[in-house]
Amino acid sequence: MDVSDLLTSAGINIAICVMLLSLYSILRKQPGNACVYFTRRLVSEPVRGTGDISCFERFVPSTGWIAKAWQATDDEILAVGGVDAVAFMRIVVFSIRVFIIAAVICLFIVLPVNYYGQDMQHKEIHSESLEVFTIGNVKEDSKWLWVHCLALYLISCSACVLLYSDYKSITKMRLAHITGSPPNPSHFTVLVRGVPWSPDNSYSNSVEQFFSTYYPESYLSHQMVYGSCTVDKLMKDAERMYRMLKSIDPRFLDRSLPYCIPGGAAHPFMVLNLRADSVSSSTSMDRLQSSQRRKECPAAFVFFRTRYAALVAAQVLQSSNPMLWVTELAPEPHDVYWSNLSIPYKQVWLRKITTLIASVVFMFLFLLPVTFVQGLTQLEHLDQLSRRVPFLKGILKQWKFIHRVVTGYLPSVILMLFLYAVPPTMMLFSAMEWNISRSQRKRSACIKVLYFTIWNVFFVNVLSGSIIRQLTVFSSFKDAPTQLARAVPTQATFFTTYVLSSGWASLSCEIMQPFLLICNFFRKFILRTKVEPSSCALPFPHHTEIPRLLLFVHIGFTCSIMAPLILPFLLVFFFLAFLVYRNQILNVYVRKYESGGEFWPIVHNSAIFSLLLTQVIALGIFDIKRSPVATGFIIPLILLTLLFNEYCRQRFSPVFKMRPAQILIEMDQQDEQLGRKEEIHNQIRSAYFQNPIISHQVSINSNLPLSRNTSHHQGDEDNLHGLKSLKPFRNSTRSIR
């Protein structure tokens, strides 16, 4: 690929970005798109109308959203999105800072050395091959290789300093979140799994007997985890139907559902009402009690009187059998992934192995599209392309522009389209792993997607030419640095176009929200709804966006001194990401739970891995270029990077795994001094709602300390009252009709 091909790809992507961003600035001004581009504000506060905007201004592109996103402070991001949002934006800020340093060093020092590394007659700039701008153009045993060694030292030291600063800052924010937030029920709660079955006692009685015996002073109460039953499904269906139908125009409902006539035999709402009435009339306390006992799962949330007691109970081994009475700190109530809690704990290891095998198989199956993409990037001449696709021979001879699109733009687009199927698949695998919280599921999916993208986008594309043609890349592990050193500079052009297509265009699609925009159009003009829905608000997709950013960080580090021409395109991507993601956090995504920035160690470890890989590749390059002195200076840099990573792991990583006992004890003492312990205990008893029928009432009544043995009977009686809550839904459906 030459410079003109790169400029063609850049021009296409710049045109797409400008068009989509301009279209977004118009669509966000339309009142009917408020539920797409202001979802978070719709949920938290009413969105002002656009009556003060003239009709002409509503259809003219503007840059007002850019100014608002740029002027937003970290305190505003923290108030809106929490620590997770601030930590995510720190990834973008870290990338901007480190690659500005790398761009200044590499573009003004390393790039001229690469360009004039060989004694050759240079062509015009637009006709030059991109390989002359890489380190592969430097002749062997050149004294200018010291420039690359010095540049790598400066980039590595700058990255380590910025990583340490951000790790320290995120750790402080996490601790401030623990101490500064209102009393969190998860601090007093321990999730117990693997409760042993007893023919004489229910799971609930076993949990109560165990913790009241071994934790008599600190045990407060507990709440069992129940499996799904008919009543639960009925209530969930009723609530879902009510949310969906309350926003539909009644006139459309009458026209589109002619067979749903009140009094008709097939009316679905009457069937629902009859089911509810039959359940309410035929359910007795004894039958509901036995039904609950059958539906009890060997898992429970155990509440303790102090935070420190819950921390101790979560860390110690409860039984001589590690598969029984397994305890860990409970996630936040809104973060609980209820469907996984009913799975027996003994299946965890089997599920983890199964998902690991499935993930590996999926990674290798993805080699097929990657091989096809690499086949396109290897078409360097028109005659090669015409031999492979004969009917294109006449077209390609006339239009060289098509050749530039096929070799410079099309491969990245095809790979990007295939990659869209990866996050949903990895999210499914993470759900099968039996993660107990939504944040854990996203964090697990984030790691899987990160490994997948780095392997398939970077390593497979770098080594595919050698694998397909020679099959000798992994013949010797010690030769891996040399193989990577030969392959990375040759694939730098593909990574540059990948940054343009998958980077710039994906950010434009992210801010456009095409799927939600289509759904909103269908709802407005097909279903003819009038009320803006607020139940479709989505949390921030960390499992897709974090791997995307870290992949570009990885590409930036590995190509910085070898192909510096990629750095300006990376900086444009990260500056655009800074504006787009800030806008999305402020206006679109809703915070449904808070993990306190628990995914930041993933970011740190990924950055360290990218640095180490860059240094290993540089080691191989200096060996190929026969510069033993420069090679010797890279080895201490690798050791220093490993020592820095180990220090950060010892200094900061434990804070993200466990809560400090010192802080929890001080918070317990403060609660006791203020006399609010009873209030906190009443709150945590009713914090974890599994469903509106069983969990809410049982969690309240089963936790009375003086009448624990009668908790189930009282909860059953309240369940009968809970069934009567279907009546407001019946009234609402009649009003809709």
Side-chain angles (χ1 to χ4, degrees):
M1 180 186 291
D2 54 25
V3 175
S4 60
D5 294 338
L6 179 62
L7 294 179
T8 301
S9 179
I12 294 174
N13 286 278
I14 290 174
I16 292 175
C17 290
V18 171
M19 180 185 66
L20 291 179
L21 294 179
S22 301
L23 184 60
Y24 165 75
S25 66
I26 295 174
L27 291 176
R28 72 190 302 270
K29 300 177 186 178
Q30 312 307 314
N33 294 329
C35 60
V36 177
Y37 300 119
F38 299 97
T39 310
R40 188 200 66 80
R41 293 173 59 186
L42 263 179
V43 174
S44 59
E45 61 186 25
V47 180
R48 295 180 180 178
T50 57
D52 55 340
I53 301 179
S54 64
C55 182
F56 176 76
E57 292 178 349
R58 281 171 49 189
F59 295 95
V60 175
S62 61
T63 58
W65 67 274
I66 297 178
K68 293 179 180 178
W70 181 267
Q71 295 171 359
T73 62
D74 286 345
D75 293 336
E76 295 177 9
I77 299 295
L78 182 63
V80 170
V83 181
D84 290 337
V86 177
F88 177 82
M89 291 307 305
R90 285 295 178 90
I91 305 175
V92 183
V93 174
F94 162 78
S95 305
I96 292 175
R97 290 173 177 173
V98 72
F99 288 122
I100 284 178
I101 298 174
V104 172
I105 296 172
C106 295
L107 292 179
F108 292 99
I109 300 177
V110 177
L111 186 63
V113 172
N114 292 343
Y115 187 71
Y116 295 104
Q118 295 280 356
D119 296 331
M120 57 183 296
Q121 185 68 29
H122 288 283
K123 306 176 184 178
E124 296 182 0
I125 292 296
H126 69 275
S127 300
E128 286 280 12
S129 174
L130 293 182
E131 293 182 359
V132 302
F133 297 97
T134 67
I135 197 173
N137 194 52
V138 180
K139 62 183 179 181
E140 296 181 359
D141 197 19
S142 174
K143 63 180 181 179
W144 293 107
L145 290 172
W146 275 101
V147 174
H148 300 82
C149 183
L150 179 62
L152 184 58
Y153 261 89
L154 293 176
I155 294 172
S156 300
C157 292
S158 302
C160 290
V161 171
L162 293 174
L163 280 174
Y164 178 83
S165 176
D166 288 336
Y167 215 154
K168 184 177 181 180
S169 177
I170 298 298
T171 303
K172 288 183 178 180
M173 282 193 290
R174 177 175 172 82
L175 295 177
H177 167 71
I178 296 175
T179 58
S181 59
N184 194 333
S186 63
H187 295 172
F188 298 85
T189 308
V190 171
L191 176 62
V192 182
R193 296 174 289 176
V195 179
W197 165 252
S198 174
D200 300 327
N201 292 325
S202 64
Y203 285 124
S204 179
N205 292 335
S206 299
V207 172
E208 182 178 357
Q209 291 177 5
F210 182 88
F211 285 96
S212 60
T213 301
Y214 297 105
Y215 298 89
E217 300 296 331
S218 58
Y219 170 66
L220 179 63
S221 58
H222 73 278
Q223 174 186 313
M224 296 303 301
V225 176
Y226 294 91
S228 59
C229 60
T230 303
V231 178
D232 302 337
K233 295 179 181 179
L234 181 64
M235 289 296 296
K236 291 179 180 179
D237 292 341
E239 184 180 1
R240 190 182 302 111
M241 289 180 184
Y242 176 72
R243 286 201 310 264
M244 180 180 65
L245 295 176
K246 71 178 182 179
S247 60
I248 298 180
D249 192 346
R251 294 172 297 177
F252 170 75
L253 188 63
D254 293 336
R255 290 195 302 268
S256 60
L257 301 175
Y259 297 103
C260 299
I261 303 174
H267 196 284
F269 303 123
M270 291 192 63
V271 174
L272 180 64
N273 296 338
L274 290 175
R275 288 181 63 188
D277 293 336
S278 63
V279 172
S280 178
S281 60
S282 63
T283 305
S284 62
M285 289 186 296
D286 296 333
R287 291 182 61 186
L288 193 54
Q289 178 184 359
S290 61
S291 175
Q292 282 188 11
R293 178 168 177 173
R294 287 196 304 269
K295 291 296 182 179
E296 279 184 348
C297 300
F301 290 97
V302 180
F303 309 118
F304 290 84
R305 299 184 183 276
T306 61
R307 300 175 180 84
Y308 179 71
L311 180 66
V312 172
Q315 291 181 344
V316 299
L317 185 64
Q318 303 294 336
S319 172
S320 58
N321 185 355
M323 301 294 289
L324 299 177
W325 300 107
V326 181
T327 57
E328 62 180 302
L329 289 174
E332 291 186 356
H334 296 289
D335 194 17
V336 177
Y337 194 55
W338 291 100
S339 60
N340 276 359
L341 295 183
S342 59
I343 302 174
Y345 181 75
K346 294 182 179 180
Q347 297 182 9
V348 174
W349 67 274
L350 182 60
R351 286 173 171 265
K352 289 184 179 296
I353 294 176
T354 303
T355 54
L356 177 61
I357 295 174
S359 301
V360 173
V361 171
F362 183 65
M363 288 175 63
F364 280 98
L365 288 177
F366 205 81
L367 290 175
L368 297 176
V370 174
T371 304
F372 174 72
V373 167
Q374 277 300 313
L376 293 179
T377 60
Q378 298 297 326
L379 300 176
E380 297 294 336
H381 304 286
L382 289 174
D383 55 347
Q384 294 181 1
L385 183 59
S386 60
R387 284 198 303 267
R388 299 193 181 197
V389 188
F391 68 89
L392 293 178
K393 184 176 181 179
I395 300 176
L396 293 176
K397 285 185 177 180
Q398 296 179 3
W399 295 325
K400 293 185 178 181
F401 175 78
I402 298 179
H403 172 259
R404 294 174 181 175
V405 171
V406 171
T407 60
Y409 181 73
L410 190 60
S412 301
V413 173
I414 294 175
L415 185 59
M416 180 182 64
L417 293 177
F418 276 105
L419 286 174
Y420 276 119
V422 175
T425 305
M426 294 305 178
M427 182 65 80
L428 177 62
F429 290 159
S430 299
M432 294 170 58
E433 272 186 344
W434 203 55
N435 293 298
I436 64 172
S437 66
R438 302 181 185 276
S439 60
Q440 284 185 5
R441 183 182 61 163
K442 276 196 173 183
R443 192 160 56 251
S444 177
C446 176
I447 295 174
K448 291 181 176 62
V449 175
L450 178 62
Y451 289 163
F452 184 94
T453 52
I454 289 180
W455 167 252
N456 281 283
V457 176
F458 182 79
F459 284 103
V460 175
N461 278 284
V462 165
L463 302 175
S464 60
S466 300
I467 290 175
I468 295 172
R469 298 174 183 176
Q470 300 176 5
L471 298 177
T472 58
V473 175
F474 298 107
S475 58
S476 177
F477 185 76
K478 65 179 182 180
D479 295 334
T482 304
Q483 296 287 351
L484 290 172
R486 289 194 177 100
V488 169
T490 60
Q491 292 296 326
T493 56
F494 168 77
F495 293 133
T496 304
T497 58
Y498 184 79
V499 170
L500 295 174
S501 59
S502 181
W504 296 6
S506 63
L507 288 176
S508 302
C509 292
E510 164 64 28
I511 200 170
M512 277 290 296
Q513 296 289 315
F515 178 75
L516 294 180
L517 192 64
I518 294 173
C519 292
N520 180 60
F521 177 83
F522 180 81
R523 184 171 53 247
K524 293 286 186 182
F525 297 98
I526 305 300
L527 297 180
R528 301 180 184 179
T529 59
K530 294 183 178 180
V531 181
E532 298 292 349
S534 59
S535 59
C536 62
L538 300 175
F540 192 89
H542 292 96
H543 65 293
T544 62
E545 305 310 313
I546 292 178
R548 189 198 308 274
L549 292 178
L550 294 181
L551 173 64
F552 289 120
V553 171
H554 180 83
I555 293 175
F557 277 133
T558 52
C559 296
S560 56
I561 66 170
M562 280 160 273
L565 210 58
I566 196 176
L567 294 176
F569 302 103
L570 272 175
L571 281 176
V572 173
F573 166 78
F574 285 116
F575 275 113
L576 184 60
F578 180 83
L579 299 174
V580 168
Y581 288 127
R582 278 203 165 199
N583 177 80
Q584 300 299 86
I585 291 172
L586 292 172
N587 297 321
V588 178
Y589 294 115
V590 177
R591 179 177 58 171
K592 295 187 176 181
Y593 50 82
E594 176 65 68
S595 68
E598 286 187 357
F599 59 80
W600 184 258
I602 302 174
V603 178
H604 177 85
N605 294 334
S606 175
I608 292 295
F609 170 77
S610 301
L611 275 177
L612 289 173
L613 183 64
T614 304
Q615 295 161 6
V616 170
I617 294 174
L619 193 68
I621 287 178
F622 294 145
D623 182 58
I624 294 174
K625 297 297 182 180
R626 298 179 183 179
S627 179
V629 179
T631 303
F633 271 87
I634 294 298
I635 296 177
L637 181 61
I638 296 176
L639 296 177
L640 290 174
T641 305
L642 290 173
L643 289 175
F644 168 76
N645 180 55
E646 182 63 21
Y647 172 78
C648 291
R649 191 180 69 85
Q650 298 289 340
R651 170 64 179 84
F652 302 115
S653 182
V655 180
F656 291 83
K657 297 179 180 178
M658 298 299 298
R659 302 184 184 113
Q662 177 186 5
I663 293 178
L664 298 182
I665 293 174
E666 292 176 355
M667 295 173 68
D668 290 333
Q669 293 175 351
Q670 184 179 6
D671 292 338
E672 188 173 1
Q673 293 174 359
L674 297 177
R676 56 182 184 182
K677 295 187 66 175
E678 290 298 327
E679 179 184 356
I680 295 175
H681 293 167
N682 293 332
Q683 292 177 358
I684 63 177
R685 283 191 178 107
S686 58
Y688 290 86
F689 294 160
Q690 184 174 358
N691 55 61
I693 295 182
I694 296 177
S695 297
H696 177 55
Q697 299 298 340
V698 173
S699 64
I700 296 177
N701 297 284
S702 64
N703 296 325
L704 296 177
L706 298 179
S707 59
R708 291 192 183 113
N709 295 330
T710 62
S711 61
H712 282 291
H713 296 283
Q714 183 66 32
D716 297 337
E717 183 178 355
D718 290 326
N719 287 335
L720 296 179
H721 292 290
L723 290 172
K724 299 177 181 179
S725 63
L726 288 170
K727 292 182 178 179
F729 176 75
R730 292 198 297 269
N731 296 334
S732 63
T733 56
R734 288 172 186 153
S735 64
I736 291 176
R737 295 198 300 269

